[in-house]
Amino acid sequence: AVVSFNAKRCKTRTVKKSVAPKWGQTFTFDNTDNVGFISVEVFDWDFLGSNDFLGRLSLDVQDIPEPSSLEDTEVEADSEAGLVDKWVPLEGVDGEGVPVTGEVRLRVRKFTKPLSDETPLPRDKVLSVGIVEAKELQAADWGGTSDPFVTLSFPGQKSIKSKVISKTLNPVWDEVLSLRIPADPEQDQDGGGGSEARFLAFDVFDHDLVGANDFLGQALVPLRAVMQTGSLDDWFPLQPRAEKKLTQKLFGGEDKVSGRIHLQLALSEL
């Protein structure tokens, strides 16, 4: 789904093979003028060709209750007060001119910024990482297959690991991982600049019961690319490990790498 308000557009992750998807994602928009409509467009994602339109809906921001004060807003952050939680029917016609069906559940609320000369403290963010699938990976096992899994790494945090998919060069994980992104660069444990200047490292391995796992490729995604739009949905080519490129040039030899990985990233505030 694509969620829009004024000039800002955010895209959810893709939920595969479902007519009752649950996205569970949060997006934040600036509502300074308190006018306009929140628009949601739903599509069926297609690998080849254009995505199929499944319907749209809109919600007038003036139908959302106003928080009466900063104190009320603080209470709302931890309660259901002031929350609009409703099912909204989809409208429009599909590519063949047939009226669409279905409805989308929205949970929306307003927050008032404090009226103060002080600059509000930045808030940590949560990055939802959809590890969707990969194509044409390197074969690492006898029989011409691999048992692929993915590790997600970000400076200053522990690596997160996906599930293992057995005996395939075209794995489908359809797995969502979560990563906390510090708002204050000083919270980064290893220094070296703010979080936006960092890269998310996706390393693909072949799982081995005995011995070390075989490296199948790496995709580096700059966090800034997600921070600018709030979401990202793309295929990334797998590359040799960045830290080994100099060694390979000096001493020869290289990682055997092929294929690409499909990732869906969405950013929200805590």
Side-chain angles (χ1 to χ4, degrees):
V2 177
V3 186
S4 307
F5 183 69
N6 293 334
K8 184 176 178 180
R9 290 167 56 88
C10 299
K11 186 161 65 171
T12 70
R13 64 186 183 90
T14 299
V15 179
K16 288 198 168 186
K17 295 180 171 45
S18 174
V19 292
K22 293 183 179 181
W23 293 286
Q25 292 178 247
T26 302
F27 302 105
T28 305
F29 299 93
D30 184 9
N31 184 35
T32 305
D33 298 329
N34 196 29
V35 239
F37 290 83
I38 298 170
S39 170
V40 179
E41 294 179 294
V42 184
F43 297 90
D44 170 55
W45 180 81
D46 287 324
F47 178 65
L48 298 175
S50 57
N51 299 323
D52 299 316
F53 176 74
L54 299 180
R56 69 168 56 88
L57 63 86
S58 62
L59 180 66
D60 192 334
V61 295
Q62 295 190 1
D63 292 337
I64 305 170
E66 295 286 342
S68 59
S69 66
L70 176 60
E71 287 73 24
D72 290 342
T73 304
E74 291 173 340
V75 171
E76 286 179 32
D78 295 317
S79 73
E80 298 294 302
L83 178 70
V84 173
D85 187 341
K86 62 188 297 187
W87 287 90
V88 184
L90 292 170
E91 300 177 344
V93 295
D94 63 19
E96 298 179 353
V98 179
V100 301
T101 59
E103 53 188 355
V104 174
R105 183 183 179 187
L106 298 179
R107 292 168 58 89
V108 187
R109 78 175 91 199
K110 291 179 182 176
F111 293 95
T112 301
K113 294 182 180 179
L115 299 176
S116 169
D117 293 334
E118 297 180 2
T119 303
L121 292 175
R123 299 173 60 183
D124 287 359
K125 298 181 183 296
V126 174
L127 183 66
S128 297
V129 181
I131 300 178
V132 184
E133 60 183 320
K135 296 286 187 183
E136 301 171 352
L137 296 180
Q138 184 76 24
D141 295 336
W142 294 104
T145 65
S146 291
D147 303 317
F149 69 92
V150 181
T151 63
L152 165 60
S153 304
F154 187 71
Q157 300 196 30
K158 292 183 178 179
S159 296
I160 311 173
K161 178 181 171 182
S162 77
K163 60 190 175 185
V164 177
I165 307 295
S166 298
K167 301 185 185 307
T168 179
L169 303 181
N170 301 290
V172 177
W173 293 282
D174 250 347
E175 189 170 353
V176 179
L177 308 177
S178 294
L179 193 67
R180 189 183 183 114
I181 306 297
D184 185 353
E186 294 181 0
Q187 295 182 35
D188 290 341
Q189 297 176 4
D190 59 353
S195 294
E196 288 190 40
R198 307 299 183 83
F199 286 82
L200 300 155
F202 297 86
D203 291 289
V204 185
F205 293 92
D206 166 60
H207 174 71
D208 286 327
L209 291 175
V210 180
N213 297 320
D214 299 311
F215 177 76
L216 299 179
Q218 180 184 75
L220 294 177
V221 180
L223 181 62
R224 181 174 287 109
V226 190
M227 299 286 282
Q228 289 172 347
T229 61
S231 63
L232 189 64
D233 184 345
D234 209 346
W235 286 85
F236 297 87
L238 294 175
Q239 306 285 348
R241 281 172 283 206
E243 68 271 17
K244 284 199 169 185
K245 288 182 179 178
L246 179 58
T247 304
Q248 291 164 4
K249 289 181 179 179
L250 293 175
F251 302 105
E254 59 181 18
D255 290 323
K256 294 181 179 179
V257 170
S258 65
R260 60 194 189 279
I261 186 169
H262 183 195
L263 303 171
Q264 297 173 336
L265 313 177
L267 203 62
S268 59
E269 290 188 348
L270 284 175

